[in-house]
């Protein structure tokens, strides 16, 4: 497939060309923390990248944090340990951090800086683009309004992911959020239209990285995935670049190559911790829990890259995955994420303990854009009514369960006992599914009706008579008995 | 017109040092570097100046040029703002490219567009500041009035004939000054008016919980604190769509692009129920999404209130909606941190509270320079970190606004929308509005409000007891209160933004719905006190009360009264 828009058409992309030998500066005046000061520089821009060559030939990377007429302060991404004032030679790259703009990324597995990990050739392109991204003009955005089908009933049925949306997964350590993210990455599709998955692993263990690679392998064969892997022992500053790199590639695939692109970023808590560490090293004033005051804006500069644009077929959809430290949803990372994203999928430890996979806490979860992205023509005409009904029954079932804790389940009225049975069935038959099981929307919604139909039709007050007649599978749609109310 | 000011000697993120800047003034707007990025002078020392740049400075180099503009950050005001979409510095977004490259945006108004001008004065007339020189049909809903500037008075020397003019053309000469259709105004400076008036006229929002329980006057202020997902944006957007002001200035300050795209689509599609015109025609949208430059975000709320004051000066009632003021405060905090100002609470600069107070002070009901009555109302969302209502922005906002619509996470979680808490919210306008309603002939308004609030509080208290003892042990009147408070919550306070019938509710239907529930409450109490068994009362099917708001149109009072009569007769003869 050829790109609908060429690099350089509307971005300030730099053509890749054989570079004249860049000037090397050897006048390092000081080294402190991750920062080095280089004197006598000429014509260097703020935020420009640098390559720093040590005496033994080792190459490190840096960016310009502060530049004056005659000196530049460079932050060394790999840290300055082992560096000396003498013998360090620094060359500047002529511009901010950038990546090649090409479809060649598809099918590749790279490290957090975009260097191949899969034994393949380096990724090249005719142009390079800055990874920090340029904001989409809000006036050219179009509201997200079509679904991405993940094959996971809990999501497709009750918190539909919509193209152009940003919908995070909030989890806690020990829950299968990486498995869920990988399952979504493998199964997600948009009814046959061109699609791609960009997965950025941030600060994950080598074991998790290996299993993610294994799982995504199936799809890599179709040249539909790109993986960027920054492991827990990779440089912390690199962790700040990896999602930007992933999103720059995603934007190209979406807005220039007409694909629907799903970006998964896991684990954003590791990213935020890296940001906190770098901010502290720069001596910035911390705010809540030591995070810098710009954490919201920084996360937004990533998450707002999701969206749809007028006149373009593609879209960028974002699923950030994060673990809530101590399960605390008011912790700055989940809290500020919730303030930026359009809803959230919350995983619950008690469901996991009961063996439910995926352990999605329905009441805490919400896809704010679902109303526009599901229903007639998009998924199925009964979808929104069914999901409203399941939510409302679930809310009442939880109340009944609370009561049961005090008075015992046997002492509950029959209607409440019916609700408890409904909840158990919903968890067992609808929510639970295999990690390799991809369900169609039809199958998901039919399962929903199967569970709802355990209750008398009169209990399904959120569903219209018409829909009830068409979908209800219980014995007697007009039964007077066992009224739930 | 731009004057050279010097060259860059240092770049440190958005902070730039400039040599040879001795002609600059503090707070002057400058353009920086080859891409002409907008910047503001922060400080001066000897021959050098420190400039804060409003846009991304990646790639900016020492030795690039800096140009002075001779004025502080200003908004370009003139016809063409209504229906438009602008960034935080009031630069036009509609016809800009798909990606906001630094330096890509310019002015607010289309310099080429021709407007049909009709003069209102004749040569030789004496005019005072604020007098109308002529009018332009800006949109189908709003007539633009070109005014005599505030510091100018004297004789009309020339006035343009009826005909087509651009915003840059001279329409009049007054006392030797040429006046164009458009002008600029420094956004941080309130526009002058003749004086403040006490208000007392309601701003009808069409949202029942607001209009009935925590109402607002035109020219007043409200803060909307609430954790993420509690419904701040939807509530404010509903008000932007349905309130009875003339002009709406919606400021998306550090929030989402997607929700603004949706809002703009709605503005273009929906008609104003009163005028029949498109909502777009009365709305100015300022969008500085969370990924757009931080400093333009800081400026956006001032830009918004300046635009509102501009329409106020023409005699209109304007409403400014700022979603979210917390993102503005964060931008303030960032720029303070960069200039190494000593922080006060949670990293915010010490001037946070006085700056917030001054911002909300720009609201009010005024006598304009020309003698008309007009208002600016300000509504601000507040996004407390971790939902902590004691944090500085929430705490200070509460002190400076007249109404607080506090959104409750538990209510939102239970999908009770709008999730406005009846215990944490308040309105200092309720009394003056009661007087207004009484003067209009409705002297029961304040009484109904009191009864409703009382019922809600009683039910909360009773429910917490019932949780320990079970409902069965409660006396009958308390069980009636539980029934009726639920009717009040579900039948009156809840209002879905997505329901075509119920997204807007006319005042008469609002009053009828509240009266319906309060009358049922009285009847049930009488019945219980008269000896009817509480079980029989609880068995009454009152589900229609929760449904009627949604099942009949926004102004269908009759449907509500009919239902009331029908239920009263059922209560009188419980089967
Ligand atoms: N009046 C309403 N009617 C129906 N649904 C509502 C209403 N208010 C809020 N909601 C629901 O709550 C969700 C969140 O609302 P909203 O976007 O207004 O929250 P918010 O407080 O602005 O959150 P944030 O701080 O993250 O921006 C909506 O997507 C919608 O599902
Ligand atoms: Mg919001």
């Amino acid at each position: 497939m050829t790109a609908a828009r060429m690099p350089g058409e509307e971005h300030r992309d730099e053509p890749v060309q054989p570079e004249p030998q860049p000037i090397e500066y050897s006048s390092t005046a000081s080294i402190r923390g991750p920062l080095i000061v280089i004197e006598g520089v000429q014509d260097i821009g703020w935020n420009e990248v640098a390559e720093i060559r040590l005496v033994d030939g080792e190459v490190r990377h840096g960016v310009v944090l502060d530049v004056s007429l005659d000196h530049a302060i460079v932050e060394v991404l790999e840290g300055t340990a082992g560096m000396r004032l003498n013998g360090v030679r620094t060359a500047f790259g002529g511009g901010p951090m950038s990546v090649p703009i090409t479809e060649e990324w598809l099918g590749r597995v790279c490290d957090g800086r975009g260097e191949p990990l899969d034994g393949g050739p380096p990724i090249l392109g005719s142009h390079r683009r800055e990874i920090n991204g340029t904001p989409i003009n809000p006036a050219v955005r179009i509201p997200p309004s079509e679904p991405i089908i993940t094959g996971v009933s809990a999501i497709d049925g009750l918190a539909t992911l919509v193209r152009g949306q940003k919908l995070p997964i909030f989890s806690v350590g020990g829950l299968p959020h990486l498995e869920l993210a990988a399952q979504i990455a493998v199964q997600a599709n948009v009814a046959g239209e061109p699609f791609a998955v960009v997965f950025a692993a941030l600060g994950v263990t080598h074991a998790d990285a290996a299993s993610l690679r294994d799982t995504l392998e199936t799809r890599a064969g179709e040249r539909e995935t790109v993986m960027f892997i920054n492991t827990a022992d990779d440089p912390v500053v690199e962790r700040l670049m990896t999602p930007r790199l992933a999103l720059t590639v995603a934007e190209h695939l979406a807005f220039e190559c007409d694909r629907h692109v799903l970006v998964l970023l896991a684990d954003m808590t590791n990213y935020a911790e890296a940001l906190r560490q770098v901010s502290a090293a720069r001596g910035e004033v911390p705010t809540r829990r030591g995070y810098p005051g710009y954490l919201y804006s920084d996360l937004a500069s990533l998450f707002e890259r999701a969206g749809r644009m007028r006149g373009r077929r593609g879209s960028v959809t974002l699923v950030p995955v994060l673990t809530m430290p101590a399960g605390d949803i008011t912790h700055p990372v989940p809290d500020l994420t919730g303030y930026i994203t359009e809803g959230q999928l919350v995983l619950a430890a008690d469901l996991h303990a009961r063996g439910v996979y995926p352990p999605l806490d329905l009441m805490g979860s919400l896809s704010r854009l679902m109303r526009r992205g599901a229903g007639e023509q998009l998924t199925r005409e009964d979808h929104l009514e069914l999901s409203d009904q399941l939510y409302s029954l679930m809310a009442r079932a939880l109340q009944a369960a609370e009561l049961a804790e005090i008075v015992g389940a046997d002492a509950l009225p029959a209607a409440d006992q019916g609700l408890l049975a409904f909840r158990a069935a919903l968890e067992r038959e609808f929510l639970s599914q295999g990690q390799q099981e991809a369900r169609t929307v039809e199958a998901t919604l039919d399962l929903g009706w199967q569970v709802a139909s355990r209750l008398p039709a009169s209990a399904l007050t959120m569903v219209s008579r018409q829909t009830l007649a068409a979908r209800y599978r219980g014995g007697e749609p007009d039964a007077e008995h066992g009224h739930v109310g | 017109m731009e004057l050279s000011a010097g060259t860059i000697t240092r770049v440190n993120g958005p902070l730039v040092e400039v040599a040879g800047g001795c002609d600059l003034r503090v707070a002057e707007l400058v353009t920086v570097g080859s891409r002409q990025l907008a910047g503001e002078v922060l400080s001066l020392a000897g021959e050098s100046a420190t400039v804060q740049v409003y846009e991304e400075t990646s790639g900016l180099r020492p030795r690039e040029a800096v140009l002075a503009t001779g004025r502080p950050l200003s908004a370009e005001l003139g016809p063409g703002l209504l229906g438009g979409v602008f960034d935080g510095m009031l630069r036009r977004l509609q016809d800009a490219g798909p990606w906001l490259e630094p330096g890509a945006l310019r002015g607010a108004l289309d310099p080429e567009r021709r407007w049909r001008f009709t003069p209102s004065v004749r040569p030789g007339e004496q005019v005072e500041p604020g007098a109308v020189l002529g009018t332009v049909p800006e949109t189908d809903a709003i007539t633009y009035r070109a005014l005599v500037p505030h510091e100018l008075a004297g004789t009309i020397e020339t006035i343009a004939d009826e005909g087509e003019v651009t915003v840059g053309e001279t329409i009049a000469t007054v006392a030797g000054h040429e006046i164009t259709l458009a002008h600029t105004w420094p956004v941080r400076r309130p526009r002058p008016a003749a004086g403040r008036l006490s208000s007392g006229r309601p701003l009808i929002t069409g949202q029942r919980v607001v209009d009935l329980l925590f109402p607002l006057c035109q020219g007043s202020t409200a803060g909307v604190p609430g954790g993420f997902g509690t419904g701040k944006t939807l509530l404010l957007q509903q008000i932007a769509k349905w309130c009875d002001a003339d002009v709406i200035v919606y400021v998306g300050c550090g929030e989402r692009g997607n929700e603004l795209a949706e809002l703009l689509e709605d503005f273009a599609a929906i008609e104003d129920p009163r005028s029949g015109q498109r909502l777009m025609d009365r709305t100015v949208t300022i969008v500085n999404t969370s990924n757009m430059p931080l400093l333009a975000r800081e400026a956006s709320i001032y830009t918004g209130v300046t635009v509102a004051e501009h329409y106020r000066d023409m005699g209109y009632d304007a409403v400014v909606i700022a979603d979210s003021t917390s993102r503005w405060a964060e931008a303030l905090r960032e720029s303070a941190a960069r200039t190494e100002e000593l922080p006060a609470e949670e990293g915010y600069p010490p001037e946070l509270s006085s700056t917030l107070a001054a911002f909300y002070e720009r609201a009010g009901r005024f006598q304009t320079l020309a003698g008309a009555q007009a208002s600016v109302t300000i509504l601000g969302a507040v996004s407390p970190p971790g939902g902590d209502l004691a944090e500085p922005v929430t705490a200070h906002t509460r002190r400076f606004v007249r109404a607080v619509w506090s959104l409750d996470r538990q209510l939102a979680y239970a999908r009770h929308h709008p999730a406005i808490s009846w215990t944490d919210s308040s309105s200092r306008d309720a009394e003056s509005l009661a007087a207004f309603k009484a003067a209009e002939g409705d002297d029961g308004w304040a009484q109904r409000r009191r009864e409703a609030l009382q019922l809600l509080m009683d039910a909360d208290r009773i429910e917490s007891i019932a949780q320990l003892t079970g409902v069965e042990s409660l006396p009958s009147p308390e069980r009636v209160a539980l029934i009726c408070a639920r009717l009040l919550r579900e039948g009156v306070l809840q209002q879905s933004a997505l329901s075509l019938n119920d997204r807007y509710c006319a005042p008469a239907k609002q009053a009828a719905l509240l009266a319906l529930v309060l009358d049922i409450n009285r009847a049930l109490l009488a019945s219980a006190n008269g000896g009817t068994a509480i079980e029989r009362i609880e068995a009454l099917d009152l589900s229609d009360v929760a449904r009627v708001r949604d099942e009949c149109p926004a102004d269908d009072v009759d449907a509500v009264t009919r239902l009331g009569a029908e239920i009263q007769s059922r209560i009188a003869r419980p089967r």
Side-chain angles (χ1 to χ4, degrees):
Chain A
M1 194 170 60
T2 52
R5 286 182 182 75
M6 301 307 290
E9 226 177 277
E10 53 190 26
H11 285 272
R12 289 176 302 126
D13 300 327
E14 287 292 327
V16 174
Q17 41 191 256
E19 282 180 33
Q21 197 59 37
I23 308 173
E24 285 198 335
Y25 297 94
S26 53
S27 46
T28 313
S30 67
I31 304 179
R32 196 173 59 97
L35 307 182
I36 60 176
V37 177
I38 299 155
E39 294 195 318
V41 298
Q42 284 287 325
D43 219 20
I44 301 302
W46 184 73
N47 206 22
E48 195 162 312
V49 287
E51 259 186 22
I52 303 130
R53 211 169 287 275
L54 276 56
V55 191
D56 59 5
E58 186 192 339
V59 176
R60 296 190 189 175
H61 303 81
V63 284
V64 174
L65 282 193
D66 190 332
V67 56
S68 315
L69 287 174
D70 58 351
H71 71 268
I73 303 176
V74 173
E75 181 171 55
V76 183
L77 302 188
E78 293 87 348
T80 51
M83 282 174 63
R84 289 199 206 134
L85 285 179
N86 289 328
V88 171
R89 296 203 312 258
T90 305
F92 292 90
M97 188 94 57
S98 62
V99 286
I101 287 307
T102 165
E103 278 189 285
E104 292 305 307
W105 289 103
L106 288 168
R108 301 302 302 271
V109 180
C110 302
D111 69 9
R113 261 207 302 269
E115 303 297 333
L117 286 176
D118 54 7
I123 289 124
L124 304 168
S126 64
H127 287 70
R128 298 179 68 87
R129 184 171 299 161
E130 292 179 22
I131 64 168
N132 279 329
T134 314
I136 298 177
N137 179 350
V140 308
R141 281 184 186 267
I142 44 178
S145 51
E146 296 137 329
I148 289 181
I149 302 307
T150 65
V152 177
S153 292
I155 300 173
D156 294 346
L158 298 172
T160 313
L161 180 61
V162 183
R163 296 175 211 172
Q165 183 177 21
K166 35 204 182 294
L167 186 63
I169 297 176
F170 288 3
S171 184
V172 286
L175 298 191
H177 46 270
L178 284 181
E179 286 82 347
L180 180 59
Q183 184 173 10
I184 295 172
V186 170
Q187 296 179 357
N189 67 82
V190 285
E193 286 188 55
F195 191 69
V197 172
V198 176
F199 199 117
L202 306 168
V204 298
T205 62
H206 283 271
D208 282 340
S211 89
L212 284 171
R213 278 182 76 166
D214 277 353
T215 314
L216 264 74
E217 199 92 288
T218 44
R219 192 154 208 165
E222 310 157 26
R223 293 206 359 122
E224 280 190 340
T225 59
V226 193
M227 277 195 91
F228 296 98
I229 301 178
N230 164 281
T231 53
D233 54 356
D234 280 334
V236 164
V237 186
E238 183 183 302
R239 203 158 297 149
L240 304 183
M241 296 162 39
T242 307
R244 295 180 161 80
L245 209 151
L247 285 160
T248 306
V249 171
E251 282 175 348
H252 171 64
L253 295 175
F255 300 126
E256 283 156 345
C257 306
D258 285 346
R259 285 172 183 266
H260 294 288
V261 185
L262 174 63
V263 183
L264 295 113
L265 306 172
D267 177 327
M268 283 305 292
T269 305
N270 295 338
Y271 169 89
E273 279 166 359
L275 191 72
R276 174 168 66 179
Q277 190 176 333
V278 169
S279 165
R282 289 179 184 171
E284 292 166 345
V285 182
T287 56
R288 296 215 158 192
R289 307 226 192 169
Y291 290 96
Y294 52 79
L295 180 60
Y296 172 85
S297 297
D298 187 275
L299 291 175
S301 74
L302 302 177
F303 298 163
E304 275 293 310
R305 292 174 79 168
R308 303 201 51 196
M309 296 168 75
R310 199 172 301 138
R312 291 168 207 233
R313 310 248 315 266
S315 59
V316 173
T317 308
L318 203 65
V319 176
V321 179
L322 59 88
T323 42
M324 302 182 277
D328 177 9
I329 200 166
T330 69
H331 182 280
V333 178
D335 184 54
L336 295 179
T337 300
Y339 272 123
I340 301 165
T341 54
E342 288 127 355
Q344 65 283 332
L345 303 171
V346 182
L347 304 191
D350 63 324
L351 284 171
H352 179 62
R354 287 208 296 280
V356 177
Y357 173 89
L360 193 81
D361 167 23
L362 287 190
M363 295 320 292
S365 301
L366 173 73
S367 164
R368 295 196 202 173
L369 304 184
M370 177 174 178
R371 297 237 147 236
R372 293 187 68 106
E376 205 167 351
Q377 312 265 328
L378 296 165
T379 50
R380 208 169 78 180
E381 78 289 345
D382 56 319
H383 190 166
L384 293 176
E385 278 179 88
L386 175 65
S387 79
D388 283 349
Q389 184 64 70
L390 293 177
Y391 263 114
S392 116
L393 289 170
M394 193 64 181
R396 286 161 59 196
L398 289 176
Q399 282 176 354
E402 266 174 38
L403 206 58
E405 300 239 313
I406 305 171
V407 299
D410 295 342
L412 291 184
D416 281 2
Q417 294 194 13
L419 285 169
L420 292 185
F422 160 82
R423 179 188 175 202
L426 191 79
E427 286 179 4
R428 200 174 53 241
E429 295 165 26
F430 179 88
L431 279 189
S432 296
Q433 74 185 78
Q435 284 185 16
Q436 264 121 45
E437 182 187 355
R439 291 192 190 140
T440 62
V441 177
E442 285 283 322
T444 288
L445 298 180
D446 288 347
L447 276 176
W449 281 109
Q450 179 182 313
V451 174
S453 299
R454 290 169 158 262
L455 293 170
S458 58
L460 308 186
T461 51
M462 317 277 288
V463 183
S464 70
R465 248 172 259 285
Q466 242 175 322
T467 308
L468 210 55
R471 302 286 176 188
Y472 185 70
R473 310 224 198 127
E476 350 140 47
D478 290 308
E480 287 288 311
H481 304 290
H483 176 76
V484 183
Chain B
M1 136 133 198
E2 278 166 350
L3 329 146
S4 174
T7 57
I8 299 175
T9 55
R10 180 178 172 200
V11 185
N12 177 8
L15 287 189
V16 168
E17 276 172 24
V18 181
C22 48
D23 282 345
L24 291 171
R25 293 188 219 180
V26 171
E28 180 171 347
L29 200 69
V30 293
T31 61
V32 178
S34 55
R35 279 192 272 157
Q36 308 210 335
L37 310 177
E40 192 173 52
V41 178
L42 277 184
S43 62
L44 299 167
E47 288 282 279
S48 76
T50 305
V51 167
Q52 179 157 243
V53 181
Y54 278 89
E55 296 172 82
E56 171 66 42
T57 52
S58 260
L60 191 66
R61 296 166 185 219
R63 296 194 174 78
E64 290 188 35
V66 174
L67 305 175
T69 64
R71 56 180 167 81
L73 175 64
S74 303
E76 194 186 356
L77 303 171
L81 295 177
L82 290 170
V85 187
F86 307 89
D87 85 334
M89 297 170 69
L90 207 68
R91 299 179 300 187
R92 204 173 183 76
L93 288 170
Q94 285 121 304
D95 3 87
W99 303 93
L100 297 180
E101 296 286 356
L105 297 175
R106 290 288 176 257
L109 305 175
D110 180 350
E112 318 266 289
R113 175 147 179 202
R114 308 194 72 79
W115 297 92
R116 179 108 207 136
F117 176 78
T118 308
S120 310
V121 290
R122 289 190 196 164
E125 266 181 52
Q126 289 294 312
V127 286
E128 297 295 318
V132 180
L133 291 169
T135 60
V136 155
E138 184 175 358
T139 62
D140 290 342
I142 298 289
T143 299
Y144 184 90
R145 303 186 179 117
L147 309 179
V148 177
H150 73 98
E151 75 285 19
L152 199 63
T155 315
I156 302 280
E157 287 153 13
T158 66
I159 179 82
D161 293 332
E162 173 149 8
E164 311 263 296
V165 292
T166 63
V167 291
E169 281 169 15
T170 302
I171 49 161
T173 319
V174 180
H177 289 80
E178 291 192 351
I179 296 166
T180 51
L181 205 46
H183 68 284
T184 58
W185 186 266
V187 297
R188 296 180 202 280
R189 201 166 116 214
R191 290 171 63 88
R196 285 181 181 266
L197 302 168
S198 68
S199 187
R201 298 189 65 81
L203 178 79
I204 295 162
T205 67
Q207 309 303 302
R208 282 185 298 270
V209 55
V210 169
D211 292 351
L212 292 171
L213 299 187
F214 306 107
L216 207 62
C217 289
Q218 285 185 348
S220 202
T221 51
V224 188
F228 70 77
T230 49
K232 300 178 291 298
T233 300
L234 251 74
L235 176 65
L236 291 175
Q237 291 189 349
Q238 288 306 98
I239 296 176
K241 289 175 190 167
W242 309 116
C243 81
D244 64 347
D246 300 314
V247 169
I248 308 291
V249 183
Y250 191 95
V251 187
C253 173
E255 290 287 317
R256 304 168 180 85
N258 280 338
E259 66 193 15
L260 277 147
E262 198 178 329
L263 183 68
L264 288 170
E265 216 179 70
D266 287 352
F267 281 151
I270 301 178
E271 276 180 11
D272 182 341
R274 281 165 301 270
S275 70
Q277 312 294 348
R278 288 185 321 154
L279 287 178
M280 202 79 193
D281 285 347
R282 66 161 194 181
T283 312
V284 180
T285 312
I286 294 172
V287 189
N288 215 93
T289 54
S290 53
N291 57 337
M292 285 163 69
L294 213 65
L295 282 163
R297 187 202 294 175
E298 195 273 331
S300 65
I301 66 166
Y302 297 107
T303 306
V305 78
T306 301
V307 170
E309 287 171 346
H310 175 53
Y311 286 97
R312 172 207 68 191
D313 291 346
M314 297 179 215
Y316 294 113
D317 290 314
V319 172
V320 183
I321 290 175
D323 182 11
S324 161
T325 59
S326 295
R327 306 304 163 216
W328 162 81
E330 277 169 21
L332 189 73
R333 175 168 73 186
E334 276 323 291
S335 71
R338 282 194 194 114
T339 51
E340 277 153 25
E341 202 179 326
L342 224 48
E345 306 157 276
E346 301 211 7
Y348 289 105
E351 69 267 23
L352 173 70
S353 81
S354 61
T355 312
L356 261 175
F359 167 65
Y360 281 110
E361 242 354 78
R362 288 177 75 168
R365 190 158 179 84
F366 295 89
Q367 178 152 32
T368 66
L369 293 176
Q373 293 196 6
S375 63
V376 172
T377 306
I378 301 182
L379 314 178
V382 187
S383 316
D388 168 14
L389 297 180
E391 62 88 36
V393 182
T394 316
H396 290 305
T397 302
R398 272 179 178 273
R399 294 166 50 216
F400 305 131
V401 294
R402 293 198 52 89
V404 177
W405 302 325
S406 184
L407 296 178
D408 182 273
R409 180 167 291 293
Q410 290 313 317
L411 289 177
Y413 194 78
R415 313 265 196 286
H416 170 116
H417 294 299
I420 294 183
S421 156
W422 41 89
T423 45
D424 289 342
S425 302
S426 60
S427 167
R428 290 199 268 161
D429 286 346
E431 266 179 41
S432 49
L433 283 180
F436 177 86
K437 293 277 183 186
E440 264 196 335
D442 180 4
D443 48 15
W445 187 87
Q447 174 63 22
R448 286 196 301 273
R449 173 172 184 266
R450 253 194 313 278
E451 270 182 48
L453 284 170
Q454 192 61 50
L455 182 56
L456 291 165
M457 313 269 180
D458 285 350
D460 283 351
R461 182 178 46 78
I462 297 165
E463 251 159 38
S464 59
I465 298 171
Q467 254 155 28
L468 300 174
T469 63
V471 176
E472 276 67 32
S473 63
L474 296 175
S476 299
E478 304 208 328
R479 286 165 77 168
V480 168
L482 287 185
I483 298 173
C484 294
R486 183 164 167 198
L487 292 181
L488 182 55
R489 290 196 300 262
E490 295 181 358
V492 184
L493 301 187
Q494 290 186 14
Q495 189 170 1
S496 170
L498 309 163
S499 156
L500 288 184
N501 273 338
D502 205 31
R503 56 191 187 180
Y504 166 78
C505 185
K509 183 179 165 193
Q510 296 187 7
L513 282 168
L514 183 54
L516 168 72
V517 170
L518 296 176
D519 288 348
I520 292 175
N521 186 32
R522 267 187 291 275
L524 291 183
L525 265 180
S527 173
N529 290 335
T532 311
I534 186 70
E535 286 75 17
R536 297 191 70 163
I537 293 178
E538 281 172 347
L540 276 170
D541 180 4
L542 298 174
S543 58
D544 285 342
V545 177
R547 241 174 267 132
V548 66
R549 61 179 167 87
D550 208 25
E551 283 178 349
C552 66
D555 49 6
D556 191 350
V557 176
D558 288 348
V560 181
T561 357
R562 266 199 312 276
L563 177 66
E566 194 258 313
I567 289 178
Q568 290 295 342
S569 71
R570 269 201 276 147
I571 296 174
R573 296 175 272 102
R575 273 177 297 150

